[in-house]
Amino acid sequence: MTHAIRIHETGGPEVMRWEAIEVGEPGPGEVRLRQTAVGLNFIDVYFRTGLYPLPSLPGGLGMEAAGVVEAVGEGVQTLKEGDRVAYATPPPGAYAEARIMPAARLVKLPDNIEERTAAAMMLRGMTAHYLLRRIHRVEPGDTVLIHAAAGGVGLIACQWARHLGATVIGTVGTDAKAEIARAHGCDHPIVYTREDFVARVREITGGKGVDAVYDSVGKETFMGSLDCLRPLGMMVTFGNASGPVPAFEPALLAKKGSLFLTRPTLFHYTSTPEDLNWAAGDLFEVVGSGAVKIEINQTYALKDAAQAHRDLEGRKTTGSTVLLP
Ligand SMILES: NC(=O)c1ccc[n+]([C@@H]2O[C@H](COP(=O)([O-])OP(=O)(O)OC[C@H]3O[C@@H](n4cnc5c(N)ncnc54)[C@H](OP(=O)(O)O)[C@@H]3O)[C@@H](O)[C@H]2O)c1
């Protein structure tokens, strides 16, 4: 019997139920995966609470997993039974022991990438890729600000930005997280729960401001983040860990230095096979070379996903978290 975490209504972690599911056979262009590791991401919380709507209810959660192909549908040329693959893509439903997926959304894993590592990095790492390589191409000599620097996306982005030659300023909730961020490429961790991060960024940059801010915290940090940028700097608001950013007048961007602002989502940056392979290929390279280490600091049994959500929302996790079917 195959099991999955499903929700029948949106709400707190308690709405997640461990249920028996029927997986069936893959149709044309699809494969069936036996999943060996599932990634936990903050976006799963947004779907569970209803901040982002699920396609239907009851429904599954989870956007990222790795596993082994166990059946191949008609017309699939790129994959065969036994291939090790991973993905980071809608629709939600990755919290499952097995799953049918479109072959085109899967990436074959190189021999040097373990399935747990893949489940810990595909979504977070390809996000770091578009943040640092596409939205604002980080160059040697840049200074960037990365919020929640000890988190899943944060730890990967700090290491990658440092590898590209940037000076990295990061915000973190505690002193212990500051040490973790520092050990992963963050030159200047700021404990924003007690320090004024805008004042500290101004101080660190000699009043100049940073070239880009990568802000996944949202409501609590957005306005302050604008004040950390140099004129013509790039503001990337890409998450809502503290709540969604409220509406504001675009003229504010002119007042604060003709700033650029974008509110991206990974899935637009990986929607074509070319873009998906670019992001995954660059990620495999920096992880394979050791420039970026994927830290799996928490694992949970998949059926205990509710506890994993409590810990993620409670700011108790660092680095990546993997759920084990
Ligand atoms: N748009 C995209 O394409 C995209 C893709 C991936 C991820 N994201 C976003 O990136 C962020 C990071 O995702 P992740 O999965 O790697 O999570 P994470 O960073 O491991 O966890 C979230 C972190 O946010 C910080 N935080 C600040 N205020 C918070 C609050 N009120 N409640 C909870 N956490 C708070 C906490 O770190 P401190 O205690 O250090 O403050 C917490 O550990 C999320 O906002 C996610 O939605 C966006």
Side-chain angles (χ1 to χ4, degrees):
M1 188 62 88
T2 302
H3 287 81
I5 293 278
R6 286 166 58 78
I7 66 170
H8 292 247
E9 70 270 318
T10 55
E14 70 285 351
V15 299
M16 289 188 271
R17 300 190 199 171
W18 184 241
E19 293 183 341
I21 54 160
E22 206 58 66
V23 180
E25 294 303 317
E30 295 178 335
V31 303
R32 190 175 67 232
L33 286 184
R34 175 61 44 188
Q35 303 203 124
T36 52
V38 174
L40 174 76
N41 290 282
F42 221 93
I43 194 170
D44 308 343
V45 172
Y46 307 144
F47 278 110
R48 193 207 71 219
T49 60
L51 177 66
Y52 295 175
L54 278 173
S56 61
L57 282 172
L61 291 176
M63 301 286 223
E64 178 186 43
V68 180
V69 174
E70 61 173 21
V72 175
E74 198 189 309
V76 173
Q77 309 284 350
T78 47
L79 294 172
K80 58 178 190 324
E81 218 181 295
D83 280 346
R84 296 182 328 117
V85 295
Y87 63 84
T89 184
Y95 289 10
E97 292 173 323
R99 194 178 182 196
I100 306 281
M101 287 295 290
R105 299 306 301 156
L106 303 178
V107 177
K108 234 165 138 166
L109 291 179
D111 291 344
N112 64 344
I113 305 282
E114 289 177 15
E115 285 147 43
R116 282 190 191 198
T117 305
M121 77 179 193
M122 292 303 287
L123 196 146
R124 285 152 278 226
M126 294 198 297
T127 298
H129 180 262
Y130 84 70
L131 294 174
L132 306 171
R133 307 306 290 139
R134 298 189 65 182
I135 290 182
H136 170 82
R137 274 189 75 84
V138 171
E139 302 290 347
D142 278 3
T143 303
V144 298
L145 171 62
I146 299 172
H147 284 298
V153 175
L155 270 196
I156 296 175
C158 285
Q159 295 176 80
W160 204 333
R162 181 54 136 19
H163 173 63
L164 293 167
T167 298
V168 180
I169 306 175
T171 59
V172 291
T174 63
D175 290 299
K177 288 183 180 185
E179 285 319 306
I180 294 171
R182 199 190 296 281
H184 293 84
C186 180
D187 300 284
H188 302 281
I190 300 172
V191 184
Y192 58 176
T193 42
R194 63 175 156 77
E195 294 179 279
D196 174 346
F197 76 87
V198 179
R200 288 283 292 120
V201 167
R202 288 276 151 203
E203 193 186 318
I204 293 163
T205 60
K208 199 170 148 247
V210 298
D211 298 287
V213 178
Y214 300 107
D215 187 339
S216 64
V217 172
K219 190 171 144 194
E220 297 289 319
T221 47
F222 181 82
M223 283 300 166
S225 293
L226 296 181
D227 290 327
C228 292
L229 283 161
R230 63 159 166 82
L232 274 56
M234 172 63 79
M235 173 69 192
V236 189
T237 169
F238 71 103
N240 335 281
S242 69
V245 175
F248 68 97
E249 288 291 331
L252 190 67
L253 299 175
K255 196 169 144 204
K256 291 188 183 289
S258 297
L259 304 177
F260 292 86
L261 169 69
T262 180
R263 199 325 179 178
T265 179
L266 168 67
F267 312 115
H268 294 131
Y269 282 87
T270 51
S271 63
T272 67
E274 294 75 25
D275 282 346
L276 178 61
N277 290 330
W278 175 16
D282 281 7
L283 177 62
F284 293 151
E285 199 178 300
V286 289
V287 172
S289 74
V292 172
K293 289 198 183 65
I294 303 302
E295 305 289 8
I296 304 173
N297 291 348
Q298 303 74 215
T299 60
Y300 302 79
L302 176 57
K303 65 176 166 40
D304 298 332
Q307 188 55 44
H309 276 223
R310 282 186 197 102
D311 292 347
L312 181 65
E313 288 175 272
R315 303 168 77 162
K316 291 192 180 130
T317 65
T318 58
S320 294
T321 301
V322 172
L323 307 172
L324 300 170

